[in-house]
Amino acid sequence: MSLIKRASSETTPFYRYDPSLAVAIVAAVLYTIAFLLTTIQWIRYRAWVWSIMVISAAMEAVGYIGRCVSVQNTSERPVYVLQFSLVILAPVLMAACCYIIFGRILFLIVPQEARTLRLCWVPPRFITPIFVGCEVIALLLQLGGAVMISAVDATDKDAENKLNMGKHVAQTGVIIQLVAFGMFAVAAVRFNFTSKRFTGSLSERYENVGEKEYIISGIVKDKNWPTLLRIVNLTTILILVRSVYRLVEFTEGTKGYLSTHEWPLYVFDALCIYPCVALFVYWHPARYLPYMGFRLPEGAHSRRDSEIGML
């Protein structure tokens, strides 16, 4: 089959447009490469908390590989449900990565006495638990809604009611994600400005080994942490754009423009989410942050800067 040929000349029970095999293959290849590079960096830096991003990249890769199979077997429900669910859910886990990295930046850059509610508008110690908790709820709701929507057979007697139920469940999940992530985006972007007063003190708080580096736990780290913060901010904005797209799609229903045309999926989902994986391959958090395990070391929340610098 030619790569420029459409997989089907007619709409199907699951696709309400003619899905393109060529574009699906391109997306699958790009996400697979990003997944492999993310995995290599994860192992290289032993950044175990970054396993969440590894899983997210794997979900995107498998999702678009599954889409390649699905567009050639448009009547097969299992593979359609698989690819649809994975592509829907992967960005939710990526959002959790942003929460975790932002929290770690706070504890690296900001002295204990300055970690106040006024600084970032969210209790610094509870940034990860609060927002990740919201993401878990959003994940479960979107998973339930995606499965309900993709499992509906157009020939079912109550197909319309099932679709509406799935749509409402998924909508609720996306709304929760948007509210939580929107609040986080404001706090993270604002921190770009409120954190500037800590930039000059970083070289004094850690042992210098070079113009752009410092030592923590015997490991040389890049102290140009604002770069990592900007990557987190950019990722946050891209995930927000994608979430708005999904909310509008679920709100319109299966007969809306976004559900009956394929290009919005690749522009507002695949294209928006890809940098969220790819950018962190080069600007890997482990290049900047000292603690990349699942938990901060005991006492890390309260240690003085001089103590941290000696670890």
Side-chain angles (χ1 to χ4, degrees), residues 196-214:
K196 287 183 178 180
R197 66 179 184 267
F198 304 116
T199 303
S201 65
L202 186 62
S203 60
E204 301 173 3
R205 294 165 55 203
Y206 300 102
E207 180 183 352
N208 289 317
V209 295
E211 183 179 351
K212 296 182 179 180
E213 300 171 326
Y214 59 87

Side-chain angles (χ1 to χ4, degrees), residues 47-259:
W48 309 131
V49 74
W50 207 237
S51 58
I52 300 173
M53 181 61 81
V54 175
I55 294 172
S56 302
M59 290 171 68
E60 291 283 1
V62 174
Y64 284 106
I65 291 172
R67 188 174 179 87
C68 293
V69 176
S70 179
V71 298
Q72 298 177 84
N73 302 274
T74 54
S75 62
E76 295 294 326
R77 177 178 295 177
V79 68
Y80 175 80
V81 173
L82 174 68
Q83 62 87 24
F84 182 76
S85 300
L86 291 177
V87 171
I88 286 286
L89 299 177
V92 182
L93 295 181
M94 293 179 193
C97 292
C98 291
Y99 300 145
I100 293 171
I101 296 307
F102 182 69
R104 300 294 173 92
I105 290 176
L106 277 177
F107 283 103
L108 169 64
I109 301 305
V110 183
Q112 180 192 353
E113 63 274 9
R115 298 172 196 157
T116 63
L117 188 63
R118 182 179 180 183
L119 176 68
C120 58
W121 293 354
V122 181
R125 186 170 183 174
F126 299 106
I127 285 177
T128 299
I130 290 173
F131 287 117
V132 171
C134 291
E135 288 301 309
V136 169
I137 295 173
L139 176 71
L140 294 175
L141 288 172
Q142 290 183 59
L143 173 61
V147 171
M148 292 171 68
I149 291 171
S150 57
V152 172
D153 192 322
T155 61
D156 289 347
K157 183 178 180 180
D158 55 347
E160 191 67 27
N161 291 334
K162 290 181 179 178
L163 284 172
N164 287 332
M165 178 64 71
K167 180 186 75 173
H168 294 322
V169 172
Q171 270 182 319
T172 303
V174 175
I175 290 172
I176 291 174
Q177 182 185 12
L178 271 174
V179 171
F181 210 54
M183 294 174 59
F184 170 76
V186 172
V189 172
R190 179 176 177 272
F191 186 68
N192 278 278
F193 304 97
T194 59
S195 64
K196 287 183 178 180
R197 66 179 184 267
F198 304 116
T199 303
S201 65
L202 186 62
S203 60
E204 301 173 3
R205 294 165 55 203
Y206 300 102
E207 180 183 352
N208 289 317
V209 295
E211 183 179 351
K212 296 182 179 180
E213 300 171 326
Y214 59 87
I215 289 181
I216 295 183
S217 301
I219 301 174
V220 176
K221 300 287 182 177
D222 189 330
K223 71 179 182 183
N224 190 24
W225 60 268
T227 299
L228 178 61
L229 181 61
R230 286 191 287 271
I231 296 300
V232 171
N233 291 158
L234 176 59
T235 300
T236 300
I237 293 171
L238 291 173
I239 294 176
L240 275 174
V241 171
R242 177 265 177 195
S243 297
V244 171
Y245 155 68
R246 285 298 182 181
L247 179 61
V248 174
E249 179 190 35
F250 290 138
T251 301
E252 286 184 341
T254 56
K255 297 180 181 179
Y257 181 88
L258 296 181
S259 295

